[in-house]
Structure formats: C-alpha cells, structure tokens
Amino acid sequence: MKTTIIGIAGGTGSGKSTFTNRLKEAFGDRVTVIYHDNYYWPHDDVPFEERNKINYDHPDAFETDLLVRQLRELKEGNEVYGPVYDYTLRTRSDETVLLKPSKVIIVEGILALQNEELRDLMDIKVFVEADADERILRRVVRDVKERGRDVEGIVEQYLSTVKPMHYLYVEPTKAFADIITNSGMNDIAFDLVRNKIEDLLGRE
C-alpha cells in the first residue's frame, strides 16, 4: 500500500487543528491523524510547578525521533501505539492510542515541518497562518476552556516562550510548505487538500 503523509503546521491558534479536524471529519477512519503534541517528552520526574516553566515551543520539547520511527512503521503497514499527552498534568498520560496504517496519514503540530527527518517523510506540506493577535486570543480561549489554565499564566508563557519560539522555529518553516493558507476555515485551501486526499484514497 502506498502511503502519503501530509504535514500541517502553523503557529499556536493559527487554525491548523481546525483544518486538520475538518479533514478528519470528511474522511473519518479512512485517514490516520497524528498530533505532534502527543509526542512531548514525559515529565513524570519533574514537580508540577516546574513543568509550568518548561519551554514547550522549542523543538527539543518533542520526542520527534519516536514519531519518525512510528511513521516508518506505519508506512511498512504495521500498527503502532502512539503516546497521549495530558495537557492538564503537562506530561504524558498512561494511555496510548492505536495508530493504524492507511493510504493517507496526517501529521499536525506547530513544528510539524521543522525537523528535517520528519519533513522528508512528508509528501504534502501545509502551513496555516493567522494574525498574531488572533492567535493569542484563540490560545487564551482554548487554554482556559480545554486545558484548565489561568489567563495570567497563559500570557506569561506566551510572552516568554511561545512568541519568541514562533519567530525562531515555526514561522521559518513556512518556506517548506506546498500550500499556505490564512485560516483553518479557508475553503479553497481545504478543497485543494480534500480533493487530493480523495484522489489518493481512490487509487488501488
């Protein structure tokens, strides 16, 4: 089975998860979706207060080597068990998620296009961008509602690590993208990718 890997990257709150989830809704179990965030290193040996100070927007925060190995296993037709990250505890969960091989695998994350070894496995690369003000507002709403964070902590993290890391590591990866869209809700960009996936899934 020929496997096509699609990478979807972009800054925090850019709409990349919206774009990815729209594709997931369109194709269901016919595609495999992997979230790079699940590959944050575990920090079970670090007190919770100290976990809050970790730079989660630096490439070293991710166990990307594991993601690369598992993608290669999936391309070989093998099932793998991927990690699951617990945002409320800021470490990996004891749970895992079964990832099945398929004709189309989507990898989503802020730094999905940053690591060269990971990027070289991708056949199609998408970068979702948005105005910085929109991104921080979306992040505040998401982190308060979904991740149990307080506004002060979100702002402190954004200014100290998220914003500088975005310009150092995330924004430059736009140069590697085949498609750049200004929103996760851009229907033209979405239709381009959806039609391509339909074509790929239709092949024998």
Side-chain angles (χ1 to χ4, degrees):
M1 177 177 66
K2 171 72 167 64
T3 298
T4 298
I5 298 178
I6 301 173
I8 300 178
T12 182
S14 63
K16 63 188 178 303
S17 294
T18 298
F19 195 90
T20 301
N21 290 335
R22 290 178 72 191
L23 292 172
K24 178 64 176 175
E25 289 172 9
F27 296 103
D29 293 337
R30 299 174 70 200
V31 301
T32 299
V33 178
I34 301 176
Y35 299 97
H36 196 192
D37 281 5
N38 279 329
Y39 291 79
Y40 278 122
W41 286 100
H43 297 292
D44 299 333
D45 56 339
V46 179
F48 181 76
E49 293 75 16
E50 294 300 312
R51 294 177 199 170
N52 294 330
K53 302 175 183 177
I54 294 172
N55 184 351
Y56 292 96
D57 293 82
H58 190 281
D60 291 346
F62 298 88
E63 191 180 2
T64 303
D65 287 350
L66 173 60
L67 174 55
V68 169
R69 291 197 301 272
Q70 293 196 331
L71 282 173
R72 287 176 174 154
E73 284 290 320
L74 289 167
K75 289 189 72 171
E76 291 293 322
N78 302 315
E79 295 181 346
V80 298
Y81 285 91
V84 174
Y85 189 76
D86 187 328
Y87 292 100
T88 58
L89 297 177
R90 293 199 167 183
T91 190
R92 279 193 198 161
S93 167
D94 292 333
E95 300 177 7
T96 57
V97 59
L98 176 62
L99 302 172
K100 297 182 178 182
S102 61
K103 287 186 176 181
V104 175
I105 297 173
I106 299 171
V107 178
E108 181 262 312
I110 58 171
L111 295 172
L113 303 183
Q114 188 274 333
N115 180 281
E116 184 177 5
E117 195 173 10
L118 175 59
R119 193 170 63 242
D120 286 347
L121 289 173
M122 297 174 178
D123 304 281
I124 302 169
K125 295 175 281 292
V126 180
F127 190 94
V128 184
E129 60 181 356
D131 177 80
D133 291 340
E134 292 181 25
R135 290 192 292 104
I136 179 57
L137 289 172
R138 289 174 187 163
R139 184 184 178 100
V140 168
V141 172
R142 180 200 67 193
D143 283 6
V144 169
K145 283 187 174 181
E146 301 176 14
R147 301 181 181 180
R149 310 277 171 79
D150 61 83
V151 174
E152 291 80 5
I154 297 167
V155 172
E156 181 182 354
Q157 183 184 28
Y158 182 80
L159 293 175
S160 63
T161 58
V162 177
K163 183 178 179 181
M165 293 302 101
H166 175 84
Y167 291 110
L168 275 175
Y169 297 109
V170 182
E171 187 73 17
T173 66
K174 183 163 62 174
F176 301 115
D178 303 301
I179 298 171
I180 299 174
T181 175
N182 62 351
S183 165
M185 295 302 294
N186 185 308
D187 287 335
I188 295 175
F190 177 75
D191 287 346
L192 283 171
V193 178
R194 183 186 60 188
N195 291 340
K196 181 63 177 177
I197 293 175
E198 286 177 347
D199 180 49
L200 291 166
L201 292 176
R203 296 177 186 174
E204 292 298 326

